[in-house]
Amino acid sequence: MKQKSLDIRTATEQDAQAILDIYAPYVKNTAVTFEYEVPDVTEFTGRIRHILARYPYLVAEMDDKIVGYAYADRFHSRPAYDWCAETAIYVEQSHKKMGIGRRLYEALEKSLMAQNVLNLNACIAYLQTEDEYLTRSSVEFHRALGYRLVGEFYQCGYKFGRWYNMVWMEKHIGIHPREPLPVKRFFDVGML
C-alpha cells in the first residue's frame, strides 16, 4: 500500500469549514474542549483571522483533505508574557495515531522559535480516572513531545454533568537571555 503524503501549510480563512468539521466532534462528544456549542463558520473564520494576525495557524493535509490543525495564541495579554504562547491541536478522529499531531507541533514549534517565542504552554482537560468523554492521551502526547506538568486546577470545568480538572503543561523552546529579542509576527517569519 502506498504511503499517503502529509503536507503542513498555513491555514486560510477559506479552510474554516474543514477545520470546524474536525473541531465539532470534540465539542459535541468530548471534554477535550470546555466549549458547549459548536461555533458557526463565521465565528470560526474570525478565530482563524485573529490567530493569524500574530501567530501560526497550521493545517495538515493528506490527499488534499485537511486532517488536523494546530495553532498558538497569546498566553496572556500583558507584555511581560510576550515570549510565551499557548498551543492547541486537533486531529480528525479517524486519523489519530498516525504521526499527524507530532508533525503539526514540530512545524508550530519551528515557526514560534523563528518568532522568538521561548515558552509553550498547553491548557489540557484532565481526570485522574478516564471516562467516556476524556482520556489522558493529550497529556501523554504533550509529555512525549517534551512538555512537563506545571500545575493542576481541580474541578474547574463542568461538562456532560460532571466536573473536570485542567492541567497546564510547559515546554521551553529557547534560551532565556537577560535581554530577549522582540517577538515577531508570524507573517514576518512565515512558514519554515
Side-chain angles (χ1 to χ4, degrees):
M1 179 188 257
K2 183 182 174 200
Q3 179 76 14
K4 294 181 179 184
S5 70
L6 182 72
D7 297 310
I8 309 290
R9 65 167 174 81
T10 301
T12 68
E13 292 180 24
Q14 290 71 36
D15 296 322
Q17 185 61 60
I19 295 169
L20 184 56
D21 290 345
I22 292 169
Y23 182 62
Y26 286 95
V27 175
K28 294 178 195 173
N29 307 320
T30 79
V32 169
T33 174
F34 287 165
E35 194 157 10
Y36 284 1
E37 300 293 326
V38 176
D40 65 27
V41 73
T42 302
E43 162 70 17
F44 218 73
T45 302
R47 292 181 188 186
I48 293 169
R49 183 181 313 115
H50 167 78
I51 297 294
L52 285 173
R54 182 168 174 139
Y55 293 101
Y57 200 123
L58 308 178
V59 295
E61 284 184 319
M62 190 176 284
D63 294 334
D64 297 320
K65 179 183 185 284
I66 295 175
V67 294
Y69 67 98
Y71 61 89
D73 199 1
R74 288 190 97 132
F75 173 69
H76 199 286
S77 62
R78 294 194 173 103
Y81 293 103
D82 279 356
W83 294 268
C84 302
E86 184 177 343
T87 60
I89 186 166
Y90 294 90
V91 175
E92 202 274 328
Q93 300 289 333
S94 67
H95 286 78
K96 288 184 168 188
K97 307 283 186 199
M98 297 173 66
I100 295 167
R102 177 176 290 278
R103 290 270 311 277
L104 277 165
Y105 255 26
E106 286 170 354
L108 190 69
E109 282 184 26
K110 192 173 181 181
S111 292
L112 290 166
M113 287 171 75
Q115 289 180 255
N116 299 321
V117 170
L118 301 173
N119 292 13
L120 304 182
N121 301 287
C123 176
I124 303 168
Y126 187 75
L127 270 181
Q128 293 297 325
T129 305
E130 296 179 349
D131 68 14
E132 67 270 29
Y133 302 111
L134 186 66
T135 68
R136 289 190 294 277
S137 62
S138 187
V139 168
E140 293 163 3
F141 169 78
H142 284 82
R143 187 172 287 126
L145 293 179
Y147 284 72
R148 65 185 179 98
L149 185 67
V150 293
E152 184 169 0
F153 295 90
Y154 296 91
Q155 298 179 325
C156 63
Y158 183 78
K159 192 171 180 181
F160 302 124
R162 61 194 72 176
W163 289 100
Y164 290 92
N165 297 355
M166 185 271 296
V167 296
W168 277 105
M169 296 186 79
E170 173 186 69
K171 180 177 182 178
H172 289 187
I173 59 170
I175 297 169
H176 292 70
R178 182 168 176 78
E179 296 290 330
L181 295 170
V183 175
K184 301 173 188 173
R185 291 178 332 120
F186 171 64
F187 279 113
D188 292 338
V189 298
M191 261 295 280
L192 304 172

